Amino acid sequence: MNKIVNILLAIGSVALVYGCSAPRAEIPVSSPGQPLALRVDASQVIAPIAPTMYGIFFEDINFAIDGGLYAELVKNRSFEFDKPLRGWKFLKDEGLGARALPISTSNPRNSRFMRIQINDPGTGVGLMNEGFRGMGIKKGIPHDFSIQVKGFEGNVSAIRIELADSLGAILAESRITGINENWQTLETTLTPSKTEAKAVMNIWFEGVGSVDIDMVSLFPTDTWKGRKKGLRADLVELLADLNPGFLRFPGGCIVEGFDLSQRYQWKNTVGDIDDRVVTINRWNFEFDHRPAPDYYQSFGVGFYEYFLLAEDLDAEPMPIINCGMACQFNTGELVPLDELEPYIQDALDLIEFANGSIDTKWGKLRADMGHPEPFNLKMLGIGNEQWGPQYIERYVPMVEAVKKSYPEMQIIAATGSDGSIFPNGEEEIKYLWEQYQKLQPEIVDEHFYRNPDWFRENASWYDDYDRDGPKLFVGEYASQSVGVASPDNKNNWETALSEAAFMTGLERNAEVVQMTSYAPLFAHAEGWQWTPDLIWFNNLDAYGTANYYVQKMFSNNAGTHVLPLTYEGEPVTGQKNLYASAAKDEETNELILKVVNAADVAQEGSFSIEGIESLKKNGQLQILSSQDLSAFNTFDQTSKISPRESTFETDGNGLSITLEPYSFYIIRVGFEQLP
Ligand code: AHR
């Protein structure tokens, strides 16, 4: 064996570690009392708020890409899942002469196609594709069908395509001809007569003989920016509304793989769409309670599309690269140090792909794919949730090589996962931080999957971090209502409110915390593995959770500089169940307060604003609240917990707001600077 398997870590599995619940306390009750005197000093800037402060972490989990963002409606379009006909049903008369025969090729990037042999067509021979828990098709929207096809023998001359609803009624139909003995792509368009969330697609073959098919595809045309074979517009719009400062991709554990053979290899995800190497999705089999045997990565969204998405969103791209380690919750397989070179080369080539001139090998590929301009990559993550000396041993040569060629590249170092959920977590994190004192990566990535109490109780988490050390990336966090990744977790108001409380602490510490992102991002209502998630979708619709609105309110009201905000001389980190941060926006001359009232009673916040000439008379409020901590949004009630807008008046030097019970406020008001 030329690979070392870390046996100790192999015993653990994510399923064993996740799903455990921690003891919980209720949000304490407080009595309404005197107005709380809060003080903001606008003349004392604590730190600039990085434009990257609020971003997105995108991993293909919960059918986030195939079956989600990627608008392809055909599952297993190239017959390259382990079971070639998974997602398909062969349609034929019983007992008659027809079969579907998977054919292997010698091309590892396009390893299989399907041969349809028809000796006796009976009442018809065809294939039905079930889509991703059905296909969501829309009335009046043209859908582009395409197929790679080659006549092998006989006279199969035409293919008839039908879109049918769940009862079999035909909603659209088309026919293509022109099959010959060469591989070619044939196309047609179908426009459904009805909207249907659970449609299927039938393709019927006319004639007798054998025909070879591959890359059977159906896309709606109402994609993001109208791009052919593109992304679901409604889902990208939800991301765009977050106004993200960065896009971290592609994971997450998916970077690492269950073992190294399943790791994310970006080179397999670029170039011609039919040459991308279909790979099992590691979330396919991770959780026994949520098996997804039909979850694969077609890489229709690969690294080029990720970079493009980041550009569309005006977000800094943040790729994470495998550093020769498989997921330490699974096999923890390690590549031997003397075999690390290809992993290092992958990192260097990735930077060339993103930023290199079109005269370079990988820069040319980017240009050939449609983007001659560089993507302006500035940061690179080395591994996802890695820990132990094995990580440092791999991290060091990787970073040395990157820095040698690209000294400006900012390195993101891992700190394992949330110390509470992996073996000896706190000790491992301590060890890594000791290493980082010496190695000084620009950025260190920390993850938190804890219960709501923890998020409220740790609004001061970053108060004592070294201001002169590496900057912090809170790369994954989400409050778990039951236990880590428990299938019973809900995106309820208590989790969202508690995250808002924690986030005031992140913002107060903008001096060290420069990037933050919730995790996971997306979940298909029927195809998910992990909950809670920021955005839920089905084949036709999508909605933001209460947690989504918290993220959106922070991100769209970030401001440019943090200011001190105090209660009795101290930062507001839970006294009287209040949590708060203050910022100013230098571009608009506005003061922006973010205030969480986690008490079950209304409280009056009386804010005196110092260090300014005067406040404008009128200000704006955004309020997110619910009296029911267990409430959450659903497809039927997508806006149950969503922001309301209101206004208030100042007295020129301060403002008073009655904060509803269990509420999160954005308070915005213009001001005049001191002369
Ligand atoms: O967000 C889900 C998973 O949680 C990520 O893949 C991993 O980084 C973390 O353990």
Side-chain angles (χ1 to χ4, degrees):
M1 283 263 293
N2 62 354
K3 291 170 180 166
I4 303 165
V5 177
N6 183 333
I7 298 166
L8 272 180
L9 296 168
I11 309 166
S13 81
V14 176
L16 276 179
V17 179
Y18 297 149
C20 52
S21 44
R24 296 283 330 280
E26 295 303 310
I27 291 185
V29 175
S30 75
S31 333
Q34 296 300 312
L36 302 170
L38 299 139
R39 181 174 166 267
V40 177
D41 187 346
S43 65
Q44 301 287 319
V45 165
I46 295 178
I49 297 174
T52 50
M53 184 69 174
Y54 302 107
I56 292 176
F57 162 47
F58 201 140
E59 175 169 22
D60 189 5
I61 181 173
N62 301 320
F63 283 67
I65 293 188
D66 288 294
L69 185 83
Y70 188 44
E72 172 66 272
L73 295 171
V74 178
K75 185 168 68 188
N76 193 12
R77 63 186 174 189
S78 59
F79 308 101
E80 282 161 5
F81 288 13
D82 288 356
K83 288 193 173 176
L85 276 178
R86 192 177 284 286
W88 295 93
K89 189 172 166 209
F90 192 41
L91 308 170
K92 67 179 177 75
D93 274 355
E94 290 306 323
L96 291 182
R99 64 178 179 157
L101 193 65
I103 307 286
S104 297
T105 75
S106 54
N107 178 0
R109 295 187 76 103
N110 189 352
S111 61
R112 207 184 273 143
F113 60 85
M114 190 61 66
R115 176 161 297 158
I116 308 296
Q117 289 183 339
I118 307 167
N119 299 329
D120 181 347
T123 55
V125 174
L127 282 172
M128 184 269 277
N129 191 277
E130 66 189 20
F132 299 87
R133 314 295 190 269
M135 292 179 180
I137 58 172
K138 282 161 271 175
K139 178 179 174 179
I141 301 292
H143 287 61
D144 288 337
F145 172 88
S146 62
I147 187 169
Q148 292 181 2
V149 59
K150 175 172 97 108
F152 182 65
E153 57 189 16
N155 65 3
V156 179
S157 57
I159 300 175
R160 192 162 49 79
I161 306 109
E162 295 171 346
L163 299 180
D165 72 11
S166 51
L167 299 174
I170 305 302
L171 307 180
E173 206 171 356
S174 189
R175 187 165 174 276
I176 50 179
T177 55
I179 299 169
N180 60 34
E181 68 283 7
N182 300 313
W183 276 110
Q184 57 178 324
T185 300
L186 297 179
E187 298 176 337
T188 186
T189 298
L190 297 98
T191 304
S193 57
K194 194 180 106 183
T195 295
E196 167 68 45
K198 296 273 183 190
V200 296
M201 182 183 75
N202 303 321
I203 51 176
W204 299 99
F205 301 92
E206 297 179 2
V208 171
S210 294
V211 66
D212 296 340
I213 59 169
D214 204 354
M215 295 299 286
V216 188
S217 172
L218 182 73
F219 275 87
T221 49
D222 62 343
T223 52
W224 168 250
K225 290 185 181 279
R227 289 189 187 129
K228 229 175 153 41
K229 297 182 187 280
L231 309 181
R232 243 178 89 164
D234 60 335
L235 298 185
V236 184
E237 273 153 21
L238 280 161
L239 300 185
D241 289 347
L242 286 172
N243 189 22
F246 65 87
L247 178 74
R248 176 184 184 233
F249 59 88
C253 295
I254 214 164
V255 169
E256 304 156 314
F258 176 83
D259 58 24
L260 285 173
S261 74
Q262 292 178 9
R263 74 187 188 278
Y264 197 99
Q265 300 186 59
W266 73 267
K267 289 175 181 167
N268 288 345
T269 77
V270 292
D272 285 348
I273 211 99
D274 42 343
D275 282 342
R276 302 187 187 180
V277 186
V278 173
T279 305
I280 192 166
N281 187 306
R282 56 144 302 126
W283 298 104
N284 175 310
F285 51 86
E286 186 64 46
F287 293 128
D288 288 343
H289 56 273
R290 295 291 302 174
D294 56 343
Y295 199 5
Y296 283 70
Q297 301 171 87
S298 70
F299 297 123
V301 173
F303 260 37
Y304 177 82
E305 290 76 17
Y306 270 126
F307 277 115
L308 203 58
L309 178 62
E311 185 172 270
D312 286 350
L313 298 173
D314 198 17
E316 294 292 341
M318 186 202 292
I320 308 297
I321 192 127
N322 187 295
C323 61
M325 300 178 82
C327 180
Q328 289 170 272
F329 289 118
N330 298 137
T331 63
E333 185 184 358
L334 298 171
V335 78
L337 289 174
D338 59 2
E339 292 175 27
L340 192 61
E341 202 281 327
Y343 292 74
I344 294 176
Q345 196 58 48
D346 272 359
L348 297 173
D349 292 343
L350 173 61
I351 300 170
E352 186 178 292
F353 177 72
N355 294 351
S357 94
I358 59 172
D359 301 329
T360 62
K361 175 179 172 188
W362 294 102
K364 177 172 184 319
L365 176 62
R366 182 193 71 239
D368 291 347
M369 291 182 75
H371 204 286
E373 298 78 27
F375 281 118
N376 201 13
L377 176 67
K378 300 189 189 101
M379 50 193 161
L380 180 69
I382 309 292
N384 170 44
E385 288 181 341
Q386 263 60 67
W387 65 81
Q390 302 90 336
Y391 175 54
I392 297 299
E393 284 163 5
R394 284 157 185 77
Y395 169 93
V396 169
M398 244 175 153
V399 172
E400 272 173 13
V402 169
K403 286 285 187 184
K404 193 167 163 214
S405 302
Y406 303 99
E408 301 304 320
M409 191 58 55
Q410 296 184 49
I411 299 297
I412 302 172
T415 49
S417 179
D418 180 330
S420 68
I421 59 169
F422 70 108
N424 301 322
E426 307 295 349
E427 280 307 303
E428 296 286 2
I429 289 177
K430 206 168 136 222
Y431 162 79
L432 288 174
W433 271 107
E434 282 161 12
Q435 305 306 309
Y436 297 150
Q437 299 310 319
K438 291 174 261 165
L439 297 168
Q440 288 292 317
E442 283 86 1
I443 304 160
V444 173
D445 179 13
E446 297 196 324
H447 298 175
F448 302 101
Y449 293 98
R450 309 269 187 140
N451 68 34
D453 307 325
W454 185 92
F455 279 92
R456 294 193 311 282
E457 285 158 10
N458 286 281
S460 312
W461 184 265
Y462 287 105
D463 288 9
D464 299 327
Y465 273 59
D466 181 2
R467 270 38 194 166
D468 298 321
K471 301 302 178 201
L472 269 300
F473 170 34
V474 187
E476 297 182 26
Y477 68 93
S479 168
Q480 316 282 300
S481 66
V482 176
V484 183
S486 162
D488 299 323
N489 282 335
K490 294 281 179 283
N491 284 96
N492 65 30
W493 178 228
E494 183 185 7
T495 62
L497 188 68
S498 303
E499 285 154 11
F502 183 66
M503 289 173 78
T504 61
L506 301 181
E507 190 165 284
R508 274 192 310 99
N509 284 284
E511 202 174 349
V512 283
V513 180
Q514 304 217 325
M515 295 183 288
T516 63
S517 42
Y518 183 97
L521 181 64
F522 278 125
H524 187 295
E526 292 173 54
W528 60 274
Q529 293 78 50
W530 178 301
T531 182
D533 304 286
L534 203 62
I535 296 168
W536 287 80
F537 63 90
N538 58 27
N539 288 345
L540 291 174
D541 300 311
Y543 68 87
T545 57
N547 316 69
Y548 171 88
Y549 288 114
V550 166
Q551 294 291 322
K552 185 174 167 187
M553 287 164 71
F554 267 89
S555 184
N556 283 285
N557 297 283
T560 54
H561 296 81
V562 203
L563 306 173
L565 188 166
T566 52
Y567 172 70
E568 297 180 341
E570 297 294 329
V572 185
T573 59
Q575 308 95 308
K576 309 282 183 189
N577 289 317
L578 281 196
Y579 304 81
S581 57
K584 69 173 174 181
D585 189 321
E586 268 195 353
E587 280 150 32
T588 59
N589 262 357
E590 279 175 296
L591 183 70
I592 306 169
L593 309 179
K594 302 179 181 84
V595 186
V596 170
N597 177 18
D600 66 348
V601 290
Q603 305 203 75
E604 193 174 335
S606 174
F607 298 85
S608 69
I609 316 297
E610 292 160 21
I612 57 167
E613 178 72 18
S614 63
L615 286 176
K616 300 266 190 215
K617 187 162 180 231
N618 297 307
Q620 297 83 43
L621 294 179
Q622 284 175 43
I623 310 157
L624 194 61
S625 72
S626 168
Q627 301 324 298
D628 180 1
L629 289 174
S630 63
F632 50 88
N633 292 342
T634 62
F635 285 101
D636 293 333
Q637 286 186 291
T638 54
S639 304
K640 189 172 185 176
I641 304 175
S642 56
R644 291 172 283 131
E645 295 193 351
S646 183
T647 54
F648 65 94
E649 287 190 2
T650 73
D651 64 8
N653 302 309
L655 53 111
S656 277
I657 306 283
T658 304
L659 304 162
E660 296 174 15
Y662 301 143
S663 58
F664 167 46
Y665 282 70
I666 300 286
I667 303 169
R668 267 190 105 115
V669 60
F671 66 91
E672 297 293 339
Q673 310 252 29
L674 282 173

